[in-house]
Every structure is written in C-alpha cells, then in structure tokens.
Amino acid sequence: MLGRKKTEDICKDIFRRAKSDPAEVLLFFEDQSLTRFANNYIHQNVAERNVTLILRLLRGKRVGLATTNRFDAEGLDRLVERARANAEVSPEDPDYPGLPEPADYPAVDGFDQETADYSPQDRAKAVGAVCRLTVEKGLNGSGLFSTGTSEIVVGNTQGVFGYHVGT
C-alpha cells in the first residue's frame, strides 16, 4: 500500500505542477490475489498490483483529463502537460460548476488486517477444504477465491482530500 501520507504528497506534487489551474486527482491502488480451481483442483494462482492516477485539469470552463501509472517527476510532468493540452482543445462547458469545496466526509472502516495478510498458502488451504467437501459429496467444484487491498484517493486544489483503504 502507498499510505495516506504518500498519496497526499503525490496530490500536492501534481497540484504544484498544475500551477494556477484548478485540478482534481483520483488515485486507485490495488493489490489483488486470486486462486482459481476447477474439477476439484487448484489450477491457477495469480497476483496483480496496479496504480492508476487520473488528473482532471480545468482551464476556465474547459476540462482536460489524463491518466498515468507513473509517479516519477517525468511521468507527473507529462500527466499535467497532457491534461492541460486536452483542456485547451476541449469545448467550453458553460454549465460546469467547478471543483467541489472541502466538506465533512464520514470515514468508513473497510480494512481488515487478517484479509490483507492472507497468503497464497492461506487461500490454497481454504480452497482445498472446499475441494475435499465437493469430492466427499460426489460433486465437481470450481470457482475462485480472491483477496486484496485497495486505496482510493480523491483530492483537489480547493483543499479536498479523501483517503480510503479497504480489503
């Protein structure tokens, strides 16, 4: 996981690069693992880690979007440049209300450490129990068992910063 502090720093870094342009950042981090089974046997274990960063930048009533998964200086510079260029060629939206102001957003406890710590061996053990039960009942079991963590961040140049971590 990236953590609240690092994601907040990433947002601030992007806003500095956006200079005087109002901007909004959406950041999604996922660390997911999956065990598949068919015919009462485990046949696949996969893991994926992905980060997606979306920037919405405003130039007056023009909105430009850009996406990246790079967090280095060059990647962030390119992100802002692309969003700004997209805004420049976008038509004005006379009804666009602008970015939201800060408000009180209730925190939701969606994180479970035991789930976050679930290993491939833990998933294999649980799937193994399912497979044994299906064999005992004369059935053919297949399916999947997935665990993972995610972080969702929303921040903007108006002072909004929301962070959620879940499993």
Side-chain angles (χ1 to χ4, degrees), residues 109-140:
D109 184 11
F111 184 81
D112 180 77
Q113 191 63 52
E114 186 177 351
T115 301
D117 293 340
Y118 230 75
S119 69
Q121 294 81 8
D122 293 330
R123 281 191 312 282
K125 184 177 176 182
V127 169
V130 170
C131 291
R132 281 189 297 283
L133 285 171
T134 57
V135 168
E136 287 174 13
K137 301 290 183 183
L139 302 171
N140 185 351

Side-chain angles (χ1 to χ4, degrees), residues 138-159:
L139 302 171
N140 185 351
S142 53
L144 61 91
F145 186 164
S146 176
T147 58
T149 60
S150 64
E151 291 173 287
I152 301 171
V153 174
V154 177
N156 73 29
T157 52
Q158 299 296 102

Side-chain angles (χ1 to χ4, degrees), residues 11 14-16 18-25 58 99-100 155-160:
C11 289
I14 292 168
F15 299 151
R16 277 192 298 275
K19 298 181 179 163
S20 63
D21 291 323
E24 178 177 69
V25 169
L58 289 85
L99 298 173
N156 73 29
T157 52
Q158 299 296 102
V160 168

Side-chain angles (χ1 to χ4, degrees), residues 2-74:
L2 300 171
R4 182 182 183 96
K5 170 85 170 89
K6 183 171 182 171
T7 58
E8 193 167 14
D9 290 345
I10 291 167
C11 289
K12 288 177 182 176
D13 195 12
I14 292 168
F15 299 151
R16 277 192 298 275
R17 285 172 160 75
K19 298 181 179 163
S20 63
D21 291 323
E24 178 177 69
V25 169
L26 303 172
L27 187 149
F28 304 95
F29 174 83
E30 293 181 308
D31 190 357
Q32 304 292 323
S33 298
L34 177 128
T35 301
R36 285 191 175 103
F37 61 102
N39 300 317
N40 298 323
Y41 291 97
I42 293 173
H43 66 88
Q44 186 178 40
N45 185 63
V46 295
E48 178 183 22
R49 180 175 282 177
N50 190 36
V51 179
T52 303
L53 179 60
I54 302 168
L55 173 62
R56 181 166 58 155
L57 188 132
L58 289 85
R59 305 293 313 252
K61 292 281 188 176
R62 299 173 191 270
V63 180
L65 285 167
T67 302
T68 190
N69 62 358
R70 290 184 54 191
F71 290 72
D72 61 309
E74 182 183 350

Side-chain angles (χ1 to χ4, degrees), residues 59-93:
R59 305 293 313 252
K61 292 281 188 176
R62 299 173 191 270
V63 180
L65 285 167
T67 302
T68 190
N69 62 358
R70 290 184 54 191
F71 290 72
D72 61 309
E74 182 183 350
L76 296 181
D77 285 340
R78 285 183 172 182
L79 175 72
V80 172
E81 288 168 13
R82 283 194 321 270
R84 187 171 284 129
N86 290 339
E88 290 293 337
V89 297
S90 295
E92 284 194 6
D93 181 354

